[in-house]
Amino acid sequence: MITSTMPVYFTGQKILNRRTYAPLLSLLFFCLMLMGCDEKPVKPLRVGTNTWIGYETLYLARNLGFLDSAPIRLVELPSATETIHAFRNRTLEVAALTLDETLTLLESESDIKIILVIDFSHGGDVLLAQPSITTLPKLKGKRIGVENTAVGAILLDGALSEAGLTPADIEIVPLTVDEHLFAYLNGEVDGIVTFEPVKNQLLSAGAVNLFDSSQIPERIVDVLITRRQVIEDRPQDLKRLLSAYFEALGYLAEAPLDSAKRIAPRMGLSSDQILPQYAGLKIPDITENRQLLKNGNSRLKANIARLTEIMYRKELLFKPIDTRSLTDASLLPGTS
């Protein structure tokens, strides 16, 4: 007969009182704690960019606190070259690049996906000329400075087509962007393909704007890319990133002056210099992004095909690339 007044617990054939049960509970709790300690902290989703006004919406999202609860870290790098290098080395899961830079990566990494179209250049890239050259046909036989990139090639290709000229009709002078201002002001070139801030500096010096990217709409594109494996492993974090981006884009439209104040310190500009920077961009919203990134024929896919052809012709691509499944709209807000 059990005479103790202490409660008893029956576990199969064994009888345990509270005194023997409590140590087992403590041991179980300790084991659970050890198991919890073995869990690794969530690795941040690393998103790399260089400094460019089109990418600032991501940083505005961070400034506004839209990324506070997400395991997402924005990484600013000195140049697109550094961004590409970090993405290749897998120290970034996501990268903001131009479409031509994305196609260059696709030569060596077939699993790349475009998950967002950030902006189209709509006047931000220009062909400027000396004051004596007032029309495009007058470029024949002239020296044109241009960076050896697909963006430069696209703009020059559009300008020459408009003028009824071919590359053989001009003398192409390869120049990096840091050489543009000096080469033009010192008469080393008759015209130059360039962009901000050199664009406004040369216009102030009397240069003539002969052609700009608004005349070849949607040819020069900035995009956000990741890998197929990242989409499979971290779809929710990617969705949170894009949701925060579009929230910030909405804030920029609703409160442009406050947005400019928040963006200015990072860009090293005064707040009144920020909004004019957006004048040369066309920024697609969610609906337009869905149309651009959907499967099948789309304006973006047509532009990808044209850009690929130009890059092969200019020897900026050296091997066949498959762009048929390059885009992915599944992470956009409101997409099931």
Side-chain angles (χ1 to χ4, degrees), residues 240-291:
R240 290 165 79 180
L241 173 66
L242 296 191
S243 179
Y245 169 86
F246 283 110
E247 281 187 81
L249 194 59
Y251 188 84
L252 177 61
E254 294 168 7
L257 295 180
D258 184 61
S259 296
K261 289 178 182 177
R262 293 171 183 269
I263 292 170
R266 271 189 34 80
M267 293 291 291
L269 299 170
S270 62
S271 59
D272 60 353
Q273 292 176 302
I274 294 298
L275 297 180
Q277 299 279 321
Y278 286 98
L281 298 181
K282 178 186 175 185
I283 303 177
D285 60 13
I286 296 174
T287 300
E288 189 171 2
N289 256 281
R290 194 170 291 118
Q291 294 168 348

Short mmCIF file of all heavy atoms in Angstrom, two decimals, residues 240-291:
data_model
loop_
_atom_site.label_atom_id
_atom_site.label_comp_id
_atom_site.label_asym_id
_atom_site.label_seq_id
_atom_site.Cartn_x
_atom_site.Cartn_y
_atom_site.Cartn_z
N ARG A 240 10.46 39.64 -49.23
CA ARG A 240 10.50 40.77 -48.29
C ARG A 240 11.35 41.92 -48.82
O ARG A 240 11.03 43.09 -48.66
CB ARG A 240 11.02 40.29 -46.93
CG ARG A 240 10.03 39.39 -46.20
CD ARG A 240 10.67 38.65 -45.06
NE ARG A 240 10.82 39.46 -43.87
CZ ARG A 240 11.35 39.04 -42.74
NH1 ARG A 240 11.77 37.78 -42.64
NH2 ARG A 240 11.45 39.84 -41.70
N LEU A 241 12.45 41.57 -49.48
CA LEU A 241 13.31 42.58 -50.09
C LEU A 241 12.55 43.36 -51.16
O LEU A 241 12.57 44.61 -51.17
CB LEU A 241 14.53 41.91 -50.72
CG LEU A 241 15.46 42.81 -51.55
CD1 LEU A 241 16.13 43.86 -50.66
CD2 LEU A 241 16.51 41.97 -52.28
N LEU A 242 11.86 42.66 -52.05
CA LEU A 242 11.13 43.33 -53.12
C LEU A 242 9.93 44.11 -52.58
O LEU A 242 9.62 45.20 -53.07
CB LEU A 242 10.66 42.31 -54.17
CG LEU A 242 11.76 41.56 -54.92
CD1 LEU A 242 11.18 40.81 -56.10
CD2 LEU A 242 12.86 42.50 -55.40
N SER A 243 9.28 43.58 -51.56
CA SER A 243 8.17 44.30 -50.94
C SER A 243 8.64 45.62 -50.34
O SER A 243 8.00 46.67 -50.51
CB SER A 243 7.51 43.42 -49.88
OG SER A 243 6.45 44.11 -49.25
N ALA A 244 9.78 45.58 -49.63
CA ALA A 244 10.35 46.80 -49.03
C ALA A 244 10.75 47.79 -50.12
O ALA A 244 10.58 49.01 -49.96
CB ALA A 244 11.55 46.43 -48.17
N TYR A 245 11.30 47.28 -51.22
CA TYR A 245 11.69 48.15 -52.34
C TYR A 245 10.47 48.92 -52.86
O TYR A 245 10.53 50.14 -53.04
CB TYR A 245 12.31 47.30 -53.46
CG TYR A 245 12.49 48.05 -54.76
CD1 TYR A 245 13.62 48.82 -54.99
CD2 TYR A 245 11.50 48.02 -55.74
CE1 TYR A 245 13.78 49.53 -56.17
CE2 TYR A 245 11.65 48.72 -56.93
CZ TYR A 245 12.78 49.47 -57.14
OH TYR A 245 12.92 50.19 -58.31
N PHE A 246 9.37 48.23 -53.10
CA PHE A 246 8.20 48.90 -53.66
C PHE A 246 7.52 49.81 -52.63
O PHE A 246 6.93 50.83 -53.01
CB PHE A 246 7.21 47.87 -54.22
CG PHE A 246 7.64 47.32 -55.55
CD1 PHE A 246 8.07 46.01 -55.68
CD2 PHE A 246 7.64 48.13 -56.68
CE1 PHE A 246 8.48 45.51 -56.90
CE2 PHE A 246 8.06 47.64 -57.92
CZ PHE A 246 8.47 46.33 -58.03
N GLU A 247 7.62 49.47 -51.35
CA GLU A 247 7.13 50.39 -50.31
C GLU A 247 7.91 51.70 -50.36
O GLU A 247 7.34 52.79 -50.28
CB GLU A 247 7.28 49.76 -48.93
CG GLU A 247 6.23 48.74 -48.56
CD GLU A 247 6.37 48.33 -47.10
OE1 GLU A 247 5.90 49.08 -46.22
OE2 GLU A 247 6.97 47.27 -46.85
N ALA A 248 9.22 51.60 -50.49
CA ALA A 248 10.06 52.79 -50.56
C ALA A 248 9.81 53.57 -51.84
O ALA A 248 9.83 54.81 -51.84
CB ALA A 248 11.54 52.41 -50.46
N LEU A 249 9.57 52.87 -52.93
CA LEU A 249 9.26 53.54 -54.19
C LEU A 249 7.96 54.34 -54.07
O LEU A 249 7.86 55.46 -54.57
CB LEU A 249 9.13 52.50 -55.31
CG LEU A 249 9.14 53.01 -56.75
CD1 LEU A 249 10.43 53.76 -57.06
CD2 LEU A 249 8.96 51.85 -57.71
N GLY A 250 6.98 53.77 -53.35
CA GLY A 250 5.74 54.49 -53.09
C GLY A 250 5.97 55.72 -52.24
O GLY A 250 5.38 56.79 -52.48
N TYR A 251 6.86 55.59 -51.24
CA TYR A 251 7.17 56.74 -50.38
C TYR A 251 7.87 57.84 -51.18
O TYR A 251 7.59 59.03 -50.98
CB TYR A 251 8.05 56.30 -49.21
CG TYR A 251 8.26 57.38 -48.18
CD1 TYR A 251 7.31 57.58 -47.18
CD2 TYR A 251 9.37 58.21 -48.21
CE1 TYR A 251 7.48 58.58 -46.23
CE2 TYR A 251 9.54 59.21 -47.28
CZ TYR A 251 8.59 59.40 -46.28
OH TYR A 251 8.75 60.40 -45.36
N LEU A 252 8.75 57.45 -52.09
CA LEU A 252 9.44 58.43 -52.93
C LEU A 252 8.45 59.23 -53.76
O LEU A 252 8.61 60.44 -53.92
CB LEU A 252 10.43 57.70 -53.85
CG LEU A 252 11.22 58.53 -54.85
CD1 LEU A 252 12.09 59.57 -54.15
CD2 LEU A 252 12.07 57.62 -55.74
N ALA A 253 7.41 58.57 -54.26
CA ALA A 253 6.39 59.26 -55.05
C ALA A 253 5.50 60.16 -54.19
O ALA A 253 5.12 61.26 -54.61
CB ALA A 253 5.53 58.24 -55.79
N GLU A 254 5.19 59.71 -52.96
CA GLU A 254 4.29 60.45 -52.09
C GLU A 254 4.99 61.57 -51.33
O GLU A 254 4.39 62.61 -51.04
CB GLU A 254 3.64 59.49 -51.08
CG GLU A 254 2.73 58.46 -51.71
CD GLU A 254 2.34 57.36 -50.74
OE1 GLU A 254 2.68 57.49 -49.54
OE2 GLU A 254 1.71 56.38 -51.18
N ALA A 255 6.24 61.38 -50.97
CA ALA A 255 6.98 62.37 -50.17
C ALA A 255 8.36 62.61 -50.79
O ALA A 255 9.39 62.26 -50.21
CB ALA A 255 7.11 61.88 -48.73
N PRO A 256 8.40 63.19 -51.99
CA PRO A 256 9.67 63.33 -52.70
C PRO A 256 10.69 64.21 -51.97
O PRO A 256 11.89 63.91 -52.00
CB PRO A 256 9.27 63.94 -54.04
CG PRO A 256 7.93 64.55 -53.82
CD PRO A 256 7.27 63.70 -52.79
N LEU A 257 10.24 65.26 -51.31
CA LEU A 257 11.19 66.17 -50.65
C LEU A 257 11.84 65.49 -49.44
O LEU A 257 13.06 65.60 -49.24
CB LEU A 257 10.48 67.46 -50.23
CG LEU A 257 9.97 68.33 -51.38
CD1 LEU A 257 9.29 69.59 -50.83
CD2 LEU A 257 11.10 68.71 -52.34
N ASP A 258 11.03 64.80 -48.64
CA ASP A 258 11.60 64.09 -47.50
C ASP A 258 12.50 62.95 -47.98
O ASP A 258 13.57 62.71 -47.39
CB ASP A 258 10.49 63.54 -46.60
CG ASP A 258 11.05 62.87 -45.35
OD1 ASP A 258 11.72 63.57 -44.56
OD2 ASP A 258 10.87 61.65 -45.18
N SER A 259 12.08 62.27 -49.04
CA SER A 259 12.92 61.20 -49.60
C SER A 259 14.26 61.74 -50.05
O SER A 259 15.31 61.13 -49.80
CB SER A 259 12.20 60.54 -50.78
OG SER A 259 11.01 59.91 -50.38
N ALA A 260 14.24 62.90 -50.71
CA ALA A 260 15.49 63.53 -51.18
C ALA A 260 16.42 63.84 -50.01
O ALA A 260 17.64 63.64 -50.11
CB ALA A 260 15.18 64.78 -51.98
N LYS A 261 15.86 64.30 -48.90
CA LYS A 261 16.67 64.60 -47.71
C LYS A 261 17.32 63.33 -47.15
O LYS A 261 18.44 63.36 -46.65
CB LYS A 261 15.81 65.27 -46.64
CG LYS A 261 15.39 66.69 -46.98
CD LYS A 261 14.50 67.27 -45.89
CE LYS A 261 14.04 68.69 -46.25
NZ LYS A 261 13.13 69.24 -45.23
N ARG A 262 16.59 62.23 -47.21
CA ARG A 262 17.12 60.97 -46.69
C ARG A 262 18.19 60.37 -47.62
O ARG A 262 19.14 59.74 -47.17
CB ARG A 262 15.97 59.95 -46.53
CG ARG A 262 14.96 60.34 -45.44
CD ARG A 262 13.75 59.41 -45.47
NE ARG A 262 12.74 59.79 -44.50
CZ ARG A 262 12.65 59.34 -43.26
NH1 ARG A 262 13.55 58.47 -42.82
NH2 ARG A 262 11.69 59.73 -42.45
N ILE A 263 18.03 60.58 -48.93
CA ILE A 263 18.95 60.02 -49.92
C ILE A 263 20.23 60.83 -50.03
O ILE A 263 21.32 60.28 -50.24
CB ILE A 263 18.25 59.93 -51.30
CG1 ILE A 263 17.13 58.88 -51.26
CG2 ILE A 263 19.24 59.63 -52.42
CD1 ILE A 263 16.23 58.89 -52.48
N ALA A 264 20.13 62.15 -49.89
CA ALA A 264 21.24 63.07 -50.18
C ALA A 264 22.55 62.72 -49.45
O ALA A 264 23.61 62.73 -50.08
CB ALA A 264 20.83 64.50 -49.87
N PRO A 265 22.55 62.45 -48.14
CA PRO A 265 23.82 62.18 -47.46
C PRO A 265 24.59 61.00 -48.05
O PRO A 265 25.81 61.05 -48.17
CB PRO A 265 23.40 61.89 -46.01
CG PRO A 265 22.08 62.60 -45.86
CD PRO A 265 21.42 62.45 -47.18
N ARG A 266 23.89 59.95 -48.42
CA ARG A 266 24.56 58.79 -49.01
C ARG A 266 25.17 59.11 -50.37
O ARG A 266 26.22 58.61 -50.72
CB ARG A 266 23.56 57.63 -49.17
CG ARG A 266 23.46 56.72 -47.97
CD ARG A 266 22.62 55.50 -48.30
NE ARG A 266 22.81 55.08 -49.68
CZ ARG A 266 23.85 54.38 -50.13
NH1 ARG A 266 24.80 54.01 -49.29
NH2 ARG A 266 23.95 54.07 -51.40
N MET A 267 24.48 59.95 -51.14
CA MET A 267 24.95 60.29 -52.47
C MET A 267 26.00 61.39 -52.47
O MET A 267 26.62 61.67 -53.50
CB MET A 267 23.76 60.73 -53.34
CG MET A 267 22.76 59.63 -53.64
SD MET A 267 23.43 58.35 -54.74
CE MET A 267 23.56 59.26 -56.27
N GLY A 268 26.19 62.04 -51.33
CA GLY A 268 27.14 63.14 -51.25
C GLY A 268 26.68 64.36 -52.00
O GLY A 268 27.49 65.16 -52.51
N LEU A 269 25.35 64.56 -52.07
CA LEU A 269 24.77 65.70 -52.78
C LEU A 269 23.85 66.45 -51.83
O LEU A 269 23.47 65.96 -50.77
CB LEU A 269 23.96 65.22 -53.99
CG LEU A 269 24.71 64.45 -55.08
CD1 LEU A 269 23.73 63.86 -56.08
CD2 LEU A 269 25.71 65.36 -55.79
N SER A 270 23.49 67.67 -52.20
CA SER A 270 22.49 68.40 -51.44
C SER A 270 21.12 67.84 -51.81
O SER A 270 20.94 67.27 -52.90
CB SER A 270 22.55 69.89 -51.74
OG SER A 270 22.28 70.14 -53.11
N SER A 271 20.14 68.01 -50.94
CA SER A 271 18.82 67.41 -51.19
C SER A 271 18.17 67.97 -52.44
O SER A 271 17.42 67.24 -53.12
CB SER A 271 17.91 67.63 -49.98
OG SER A 271 17.76 69.01 -49.70
N ASP A 272 18.45 69.24 -52.79
CA ASP A 272 17.83 69.80 -54.00
C ASP A 272 18.48 69.28 -55.29
O ASP A 272 17.98 69.53 -56.39
CB ASP A 272 17.84 71.33 -53.98
CG ASP A 272 19.24 71.91 -53.91
OD1 ASP A 272 20.21 71.15 -53.75
OD2 ASP A 272 19.37 73.14 -54.00
N GLN A 273 19.56 68.53 -55.17
CA GLN A 273 20.19 67.92 -56.34
C GLN A 273 19.70 66.50 -56.61
O GLN A 273 20.00 65.94 -57.67
CB GLN A 273 21.72 67.87 -56.16
CG GLN A 273 22.41 69.23 -56.17
CD GLN A 273 23.89 69.11 -55.89
OE1 GLN A 273 24.29 68.59 -54.85
NE2 GLN A 273 24.71 69.57 -56.82
N ILE A 274 18.94 65.95 -55.68
CA ILE A 274 18.55 64.55 -55.79
C ILE A 274 17.44 64.33 -56.82
O ILE A 274 17.57 63.51 -57.73
CB ILE A 274 18.12 64.00 -54.42
CG1 ILE A 274 19.31 63.96 -53.46
CG2 ILE A 274 17.50 62.60 -54.57
CD1 ILE A 274 20.45 63.07 -53.91
N LEU A 275 16.34 65.03 -56.69
CA LEU A 275 15.19 64.77 -57.56
C LEU A 275 15.50 64.96 -59.05
O LEU A 275 15.02 64.16 -59.87
CB LEU A 275 13.98 65.60 -57.12
CG LEU A 275 13.45 65.28 -55.71
CD1 LEU A 275 12.26 66.14 -55.38
CD2 LEU A 275 13.09 63.79 -55.60
N PRO A 276 16.29 65.98 -59.44
CA PRO A 276 16.64 66.10 -60.87
C PRO A 276 17.39 64.87 -61.40
O PRO A 276 17.34 64.61 -62.61
CB PRO A 276 17.52 67.35 -60.91
CG PRO A 276 17.06 68.18 -59.76
CD PRO A 276 16.74 67.17 -58.69
N GLN A 277 18.07 64.13 -60.51
CA GLN A 277 18.78 62.93 -60.95
C GLN A 277 17.81 61.87 -61.50
O GLN A 277 18.18 61.06 -62.35
CB GLN A 277 19.55 62.32 -59.78
CG GLN A 277 20.62 63.22 -59.18
CD GLN A 277 21.90 63.23 -59.98
OE1 GLN A 277 22.33 62.21 -60.48
NE2 GLN A 277 22.50 64.39 -60.11
N TYR A 278 16.56 61.91 -61.01
CA TYR A 278 15.57 60.93 -61.45
C TYR A 278 14.95 61.30 -62.80
O TYR A 278 14.24 60.47 -63.39
CB TYR A 278 14.47 60.79 -60.40
CG TYR A 278 14.89 60.02 -59.17
CD1 TYR A 278 15.29 60.68 -58.02
CD2 TYR A 278 14.89 58.62 -59.17
CE1 TYR A 278 15.69 59.97 -56.89
CE2 TYR A 278 15.29 57.91 -58.05
CZ TYR A 278 15.68 58.59 -56.91
OH TYR A 278 16.09 57.89 -55.81
N ALA A 279 15.19 62.50 -63.27
CA ALA A 279 14.56 62.94 -64.52
C ALA A 279 14.98 62.09 -65.72
O ALA A 279 14.22 61.95 -66.68
CB ALA A 279 14.90 64.41 -64.79
N GLY A 280 16.17 61.52 -65.68
CA GLY A 280 16.66 60.71 -66.79
C GLY A 280 16.34 59.23 -66.65
O GLY A 280 16.90 58.41 -67.39
N LEU A 281 15.44 58.87 -65.70
CA LEU A 281 15.11 57.47 -65.46
C LEU A 281 13.62 57.22 -65.64
O LEU A 281 12.79 58.08 -65.35
CB LEU A 281 15.49 57.05 -64.04
CG LEU A 281 16.96 57.12 -63.63
CD1 LEU A 281 17.10 56.64 -62.20
CD2 LEU A 281 17.82 56.31 -64.57
N LYS A 282 13.30 56.02 -66.08
CA LYS A 282 11.93 55.53 -66.05
C LYS A 282 11.92 54.33 -65.12
O LYS A 282 12.66 53.37 -65.35
CB LYS A 282 11.46 55.12 -67.45
CG LYS A 282 10.05 54.55 -67.46
CD LYS A 282 9.70 54.02 -68.85
CE LYS A 282 8.34 53.34 -68.82
NZ LYS A 282 8.03 52.70 -70.12
N ILE A 283 11.11 54.39 -64.06
CA ILE A 283 11.13 53.36 -63.02
C ILE A 283 9.83 52.55 -63.07
O ILE A 283 8.76 53.09 -62.76
CB ILE A 283 11.33 53.98 -61.63
CG1 ILE A 283 12.63 54.81 -61.60
CG2 ILE A 283 11.34 52.90 -60.56
CD1 ILE A 283 12.88 55.53 -60.31
N PRO A 284 9.89 51.28 -63.46
CA PRO A 284 8.67 50.47 -63.55
C PRO A 284 8.08 50.14 -62.17
O PRO A 284 8.82 49.88 -61.22
CB PRO A 284 9.16 49.17 -64.22
CG PRO A 284 10.50 49.49 -64.79
CD PRO A 284 11.08 50.55 -63.91
N ASP A 285 6.74 50.15 -62.08
CA ASP A 285 6.06 49.76 -60.85
C ASP A 285 5.85 48.24 -60.84
O ASP A 285 6.36 47.52 -61.71
CB ASP A 285 4.74 50.52 -60.69
CG ASP A 285 3.78 50.26 -61.84
OD1 ASP A 285 4.01 49.31 -62.64
OD2 ASP A 285 2.79 51.00 -61.96
N ILE A 286 5.09 47.76 -59.87
CA ILE A 286 4.89 46.30 -59.75
C ILE A 286 4.20 45.73 -60.98
O ILE A 286 4.62 44.71 -61.53
CB ILE A 286 4.05 45.97 -58.49
CG1 ILE A 286 4.80 46.36 -57.22
CG2 ILE A 286 3.73 44.47 -58.46
CD1 ILE A 286 3.97 46.20 -55.96
N THR A 287 3.14 46.41 -61.43
CA THR A 287 2.40 45.91 -62.59
C THR A 287 3.29 45.81 -63.82
O THR A 287 3.28 44.79 -64.54
CB THR A 287 1.19 46.82 -62.89
OG1 THR A 287 0.34 46.85 -61.74
CG2 THR A 287 0.41 46.32 -64.09
N GLU A 288 4.07 46.84 -64.08
CA GLU A 288 4.95 46.83 -65.25
C GLU A 288 6.05 45.80 -65.09
O GLU A 288 6.43 45.12 -66.05
CB GLU A 288 5.54 48.21 -65.49
CG GLU A 288 6.28 48.31 -66.82
CD GLU A 288 6.68 49.72 -67.19
OE1 GLU A 288 6.42 50.66 -66.40
OE2 GLU A 288 7.27 49.88 -68.28
N ASN A 289 6.57 45.64 -63.88
CA ASN A 289 7.58 44.61 -63.64
C ASN A 289 7.02 43.22 -63.94
O ASN A 289 7.70 42.38 -64.53
CB ASN A 289 8.08 44.67 -62.19
CG ASN A 289 9.45 45.30 -62.08
OD1 ASN A 289 10.47 44.66 -62.34
ND2 ASN A 289 9.48 46.57 -61.71
N ARG A 290 5.79 43.00 -63.55
CA ARG A 290 5.18 41.70 -63.80
C ARG A 290 5.08 41.44 -65.31
O ARG A 290 5.34 40.33 -65.79
CB ARG A 290 3.79 41.65 -63.15
CG ARG A 290 3.20 40.26 -63.05
CD ARG A 290 1.96 40.24 -62.19
NE ARG A 290 2.29 40.49 -60.80
CZ ARG A 290 1.85 41.53 -60.09
NH1 ARG A 290 1.07 42.42 -60.65
NH2 ARG A 290 2.19 41.68 -58.83
N GLN A 291 4.73 42.47 -66.06
CA GLN A 291 4.65 42.33 -67.52
C GLN A 291 6.02 42.11 -68.14
O GLN A 291 6.17 41.32 -69.08
CB GLN A 291 4.01 43.59 -68.12
CG GLN A 291 2.55 43.79 -67.73
CD GLN A 291 2.04 45.18 -68.08
OE1 GLN A 291 2.81 46.07 -68.41
NE2 GLN A 291 0.73 45.36 -68.01
#
